[in-house]
């Protein structure tokens, strides 16, 4: 807790185009936390390099992620927006926490298993110890809440275990964070295979709607979305495709599933898919326009990165100094 204000931390990798799943499950909701919390929104470029990156692409996407944060409503005067590698305390605390994290704990992480299968030619130590860096990201700012998707809940639970273990040895070091999982938009599924989560790394371009897709592309992808052999727009068992489209439409319009079912009673899937595509595209139009405007001003982006890094480093320094002292490191 900073100056009696509770702290929220979130981070997103600059590793590819972000999807409407990222938008509905995270970015769209980030701004509301700035009214009640001291918010740190980090571009986690150090996490990204657990998978091989093209340097020029990583650099470009870091600028794009900063622009996207702001385009989605984050005000750099109300929240701390920064790039992870600009605050060296993240890496320092990650090493320290590695020494308080069990090998067995890390080996049980679902994402390590998944990424190891996808990147079998590069199963590196960073991929394995990545949750300790995530714990450092969170604990560095004495974070109270961590808004996450359901797939990251396991990492926050491990962070809580590490913090509790450290506090037992060195009392009063870390705040124990709570994961916050939004019910709406928490898991948007693939348009091509609605039994799987929508993923920015999906090889099928029609499976994924990206935040920066133009209107025609968005509508075309929704028109091709997999449904079922029925024609009735309703939630139900075995109707994964329609359930997913109803969820997406609900997130963009604020209507309940019951209201949507009544709205499309007697109307076919084609009409419904077009309506979902239009609602999505219309909601994202202002984001795309603002993103293009901000991205065009590189000097402004760099100034905001510097401002955010200075703010983050100020708070990080307090925690890392406390940790060094408790561990017995000589301070000069």
């Amino acid at each position: 807790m900073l100056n009696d204000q509770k702290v929220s931390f979130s981070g997103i990798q600059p590793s590819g185009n972000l999807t409407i799943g990222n938008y509905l499950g995270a970015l769209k909701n980030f701004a509301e936390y700035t009214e009640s919390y001291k918010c740190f929104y980090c571009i986690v470029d150090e996490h990204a390099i657990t998978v091989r990156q093209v340097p020029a692409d990583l650099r470009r996407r870091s600028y794009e992620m900063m622009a996207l944060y702001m385009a989605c409503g984050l005000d750099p005067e109300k929240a701390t927006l920064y790039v992870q590698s600009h605050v060296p305390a993240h890496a320092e605390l990650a090493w320290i926490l590695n020494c308080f994290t069990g090998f067995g704990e890390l080996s049980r992480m679902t994402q390590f298993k998944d990424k190891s299968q996808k990147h079998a030619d590069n199963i590196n130590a960073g991929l394995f110890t990545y949750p300790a860096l995530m714990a450092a990201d969170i604990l560095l700012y004495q974070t109270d809440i961590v808004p996450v998707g359901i797939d990251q809940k396991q990492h926050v639970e491990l962070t809580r275990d590490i913090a509790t273990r450290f506090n037992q040895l060195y009392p009063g070091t870390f705040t124990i964070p709570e994961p916050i999982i939004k019910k709406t938009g928490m898991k948007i599924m693939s348009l091509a295979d609605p039994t799987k989560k929508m993923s920015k790394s999906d090889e099928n371009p029609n499976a994924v709607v990206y935040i920066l897709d133009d209107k025609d592309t968005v509508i075309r992808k929704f028109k091709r979305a997999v449904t079922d052999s029925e024609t009735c727009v309703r939630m139900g068992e075995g109707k994964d495709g329609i359930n997913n489209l109803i969820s997406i439409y609900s997130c963009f319009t604020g209507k309940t599933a019951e209201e949507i079912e009544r709205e499309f009673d007697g109307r076919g899937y084609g009409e419904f898919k077009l309506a979902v595509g239009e609602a999505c595209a219309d909601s994202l139009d202002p984001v795309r326009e603002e993103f293009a405007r901000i991205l065009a001003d590189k000097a402004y982006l760099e100034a905001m990165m510097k401002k955010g890094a200075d703010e983050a480093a100020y708070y990080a320094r307090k925690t890392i100094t406390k940790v060094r002292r408790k561990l017995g490191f000589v301070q000069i």
Side-chain angles (χ1 to χ4, degrees), residues 27-263:
L27 284 163
K28 184 171 180 279
N29 308 310
F30 279 176
E32 69 185 62
Y33 291 104
T34 63
E35 302 304 319
S36 306
Y37 294 88
K38 171 60 184 171
C39 293
F40 294 88
Y41 291 114
C42 184
I43 297 164
V44 289
D45 55 343
E46 291 175 341
H47 283 291
I49 64 166
T50 58
V51 175
R52 292 286 175 262
Q53 301 288 332
V54 176
D57 290 346
L58 179 60
R59 195 174 298 114
R60 171 180 52 80
R61 286 195 296 260
S62 295
Y63 282 103
E64 289 175 349
M65 191 68 241
M66 179 64 82
L68 196 56
Y69 269 155
M70 288 187 271
C72 288
L74 287 174
D75 182 347
E77 298 302 323
K78 290 185 176 180
T80 302
L81 314 179
Y82 71 104
V83 178
Q84 184 183 32
S85 62
H86 293 169
V87 183
H90 282 261
E92 181 179 354
L93 185 58
W95 168 252
I96 291 168
L97 296 183
N98 268 325
C99 301
F100 293 83
T101 306
F103 187 90
E105 289 175 310
L106 294 172
S107 64
R108 288 192 292 272
M109 293 292 106
T110 305
Q111 285 210 339
F112 172 69
K113 295 173 185 175
D114 292 345
K115 286 195 173 183
S116 295
Q117 290 177 341
K118 289 179 183 174
H119 305 280
D121 59 333
N122 181 31
I123 305 175
N124 57 71
L127 193 63
F128 187 66
T129 61
Y130 152 103
L133 177 56
M134 184 170 172
D137 299 337
I138 295 165
L139 299 178
L140 202 49
Y141 301 100
Q142 303 298 339
T143 300
D144 296 280
I145 66 160
V146 188
V148 287
I150 192 76
D151 56 333
Q152 290 289 344
K153 185 171 182 280
Q154 188 185 35
H155 286 150
V156 182
E157 288 170 347
L158 177 60
T159 298
R160 287 168 55 84
D161 292 341
I162 295 168
T164 300
R165 182 178 302 136
F166 199 98
N167 284 354
Q168 286 170 347
L169 291 165
Y170 310 102
T173 306
F174 296 123
T175 299
I176 308 297
E178 290 284 344
I180 302 292
I181 299 170
K182 281 257 181 188
K183 289 287 182 281
T184 56
M186 70 181 202
K187 200 162 188 179
I188 301 300
M189 312 306 281
S190 161
L191 298 187
D193 181 358
T195 62
K196 296 178 181 176
K197 184 183 172 186
M198 186 178 286
S199 169
K200 60 186 177 183
S201 59
D202 199 308
E203 293 179 2
N204 181 354
N206 293 315
V208 188
V209 178
Y210 298 107
I211 297 173
L212 300 175
D213 278 345
D214 62 61
K215 185 168 186 173
D216 289 344
T217 301
V218 170
I219 290 172
R220 187 184 74 249
K221 288 180 178 181
F222 275 108
K223 281 182 175 178
R224 294 177 178 175
V226 168
T227 51
D228 53 60
S229 57
E230 293 185 16
T231 56
C232 181
V233 178
R234 63 174 179 83
M235 300 285 280
E237 190 82 26
K239 292 173 67 68
D240 297 319
I242 286 295
N243 292 346
N244 187 39
L245 292 177
I246 288 174
S247 294
I248 293 169
Y249 192 63
S250 173
C251 288
F252 280 116
T253 63
K255 296 175 182 178
T256 65
E258 292 75 17
E259 289 170 334
I260 294 165
E261 288 173 3
R262 284 197 297 272
E263 180 184 352

Side-chain angles (χ1 to χ4, degrees), residues 316-331:
R317 197 175 301 119
K318 292 183 176 183
T319 296
I320 203 71
T321 299
K322 182 199 291 187
V323 169
R324 289 171 184 159
R325 186 177 65 250
K326 287 183 179 263
L327 287 171
F329 291 167
V330 173
Q331 308 216 54

